Amino acid sequence: MYDYVIVGAGSAGCVLAARLSEDPAVRVALIEAGGPDTAQEIHVPAAFPQLFKSALDWDLDTDPEPGIGGRRAYLPRGRVFGGSSSINAMIYIRGSRADYDGWAAAGATGWSYDEVLPYFKRGEDNERGADGYHGAGGPLTVSDGRSVHPLASAFVRAAEQAGHKANDDFNGETQFGVGRYQLTQRGGLRCSAAVAYLHPALERPNLTVIPSALAHRVVIEDGRATGVEVERDGAVEVVRAESEVILSAGAYASPKLLMLSGVGPAAALAPFGIDVVQDLPVGQGLQDHYMTLLNLRTDTESLIGAATAENAALLQSEGRGPLTSNIGEAGGFFRSRPELDAPDVQFHAAPVLFHQEGLGAPVEHGFSFGPCVVAPTSRGSVTLRSPRPDAAPRIVHNYLTTAEDRDAIVAGIRIALDIAAQSAVADLVTEPFDVPASDSDADLLAWAQRSGQTLFHPTSTCAIGSVVDSDLRVFGVQGLRVVDASVFPSVPRGNTNAPTIMAAEKAADLIKGAV
């Protein structure tokens, strides 16, 4: 018996396990389907694409996506301590003030920008120090990149040549502009949520981590969550919670677990013979960022030659060099229409070819950059495929199914082509590797539909206001909360790891009754 049972040792689960177990009188269990984050490729930043489709990846796919020609999109998600923060590109972005103020205006009480900023700052240990926007001394190390690759720098110079302003802090006063990203790295190595939060808490006697355990369902008795049914080593058991069960399994798995537990759309559960405990729109409202990248050949040395003994020694001894690269070293935020007050397009620039959803082998020198739709209007869904707990859910994002999203991606590609035409980039390009056939709207959209991919930022499937209240408690079920990116009413404008950690920091206070 525990006070709190947390499902998922990803970004949110690691934060909650650490924060809740700070009280020695509280018993915390953390259930994780994967295992410890010991693989070398996790901690060497430039190696993260090698984790795709490995045993540390849930290796999900969408159903055929109607907005991108019926393609199935590959969806990597971390199955390891740290979750996707152990396999991501380590970019520290919070999103726009407009995101959080929009949430609050729509009814998410307590989630305005001014109300969540203290939780961003509390979690942060920014190497630049504390100021009005940043914190120092928190668990999560945020640093400037130790790899300053000339191909990423060329993108920044070309964007400035195209008239875009430099921005050295996308988490400060404004998001607009171009520059290099700050990263969740410590000494040139990955600083995942596991490294930052979970590892320091593992020695606490009141924290029990249960690895390699697949959660089957939440046990709900008389309208109250009392535990979690898990399978480990072929045996099924129930881990009991005296106070609360907290789902932190992510925007795909948390709704799946709720539905397997009888919490979800009644009409969708009936075909699987699942008794409905609470009829809620679980799994609806899915959002994600859709990205497409110009890939350009070059004679300039790219990252494909980074895995040398010399660079490995440089990383180990000094925490610098090409192996510290997070791949997406630089980028920026833009508006596709002049009347917009907040960005609707984000760029990532990588000093290496990045194609075929990150799965294409980079066998020649090149670099890539391009837009993602950072404020999408499209919405998708997560539904059950089977009542078996080990079956992947059905996922449809509906990428590019709205006119607004199609217009944004086309406008973003035009920005990319303009940047590519500037001398800082054009002088380095030998020939295209993967680019649109022409600059017509039709060819730009067709190319985006053919070559685009997820930016790995699923959210909003258990959203505040529809599935959970502003304290992240599931409507109609006592003792049950969801704490991860699935509770976001909409996807923030930017990479979602920092907002997920913020939400868990805030949730810890909500659970403790500290707010």
Side-chain angles (χ1 to χ4, degrees), residues 53 63 108 159 180 234 306 321 329 346 390-391 401 410 433 476:
K53 291 189 174 290
D63 273 20
R180 304 187 72 86
E329 292 186 16
Q346 179 185 3
D390 59 348
T401 53
V410 168
F433 179 87

Side-chain angles (χ1 to χ4, degrees), residues 210-346:
I210 306 173
S212 304
L214 179 67
H216 282 198
R217 65 184 180 95
V218 179
V219 178
I220 301 173
E221 299 170 328
D222 298 323
R224 181 177 185 84
T226 59
V228 179
E229 184 181 277
V230 302
E231 180 179 352
R232 188 181 187 196
D233 296 329
V236 177
E237 60 181 309
V238 174
V239 183
R240 292 285 178 181
E242 194 167 289
S243 294
E244 293 191 19
V245 171
I246 306 164
L247 299 185
S248 297
Y252 301 132
S254 283
K256 172 188 155 184
L257 272 171
L258 284 176
M259 288 184 281
L260 289 173
S261 309
V263 179
L269 300 185
F272 298 105
I274 298 172
D275 293 334
V276 178
V277 174
Q278 193 68 24
D279 186 359
L280 293 172
V282 171
Q284 305 304 299
L286 172 65
Q287 285 200 301
D288 188 18
H289 293 144
Y290 186 81
M291 171 179 74
T292 190
L293 298 173
L294 300 179
N295 275 266
L296 307 168
R297 292 183 172 95
T298 183
D299 289 334
T300 303
E301 181 79 16
S302 70
L303 280 180
I304 63 170
T308 66
E310 180 183 9
N311 286 335
L314 192 62
L315 173 66
Q316 186 173 14
S317 63
E318 300 182 33
R320 62 183 182 89
L323 290 177
T324 68
S325 176
N326 71 309
I327 310 298
E329 292 186 16
F333 291 86
F334 310 89
R335 53 169 68 89
S336 66
R337 307 187 308 279
E339 68 270 19
L340 295 178
D341 295 327
D344 64 337
V345 173
Q346 179 185 3

Side-chain angles (χ1 to χ4, degrees), residues 309-395:
E310 180 183 9
N311 286 335
L314 192 62
L315 173 66
Q316 186 173 14
S317 63
E318 300 182 33
R320 62 183 182 89
L323 290 177
T324 68
S325 176
N326 71 309
I327 310 298
E329 292 186 16
F333 291 86
F334 310 89
R335 53 169 68 89
S336 66
R337 307 187 308 279
E339 68 270 19
L340 295 178
D341 295 327
D344 64 337
V345 173
Q346 179 185 3
F347 268 54
H348 293 77
V352 69
L353 296 176
F354 198 88
H355 61 107
Q356 295 179 12
E357 301 178 287
L359 300 173
V363 295
E364 56 187 310
H365 290 304
F367 59 121
S368 55
F369 57 86
C372 77
V373 181
V374 80
T377 57
S378 54
R379 296 268 185 173
S381 64
V382 176
T383 55
L384 293 180
R385 185 182 307 278
S386 162
R388 286 181 57 96
D390 59 348
R394 297 171 59 95
I395 301 167

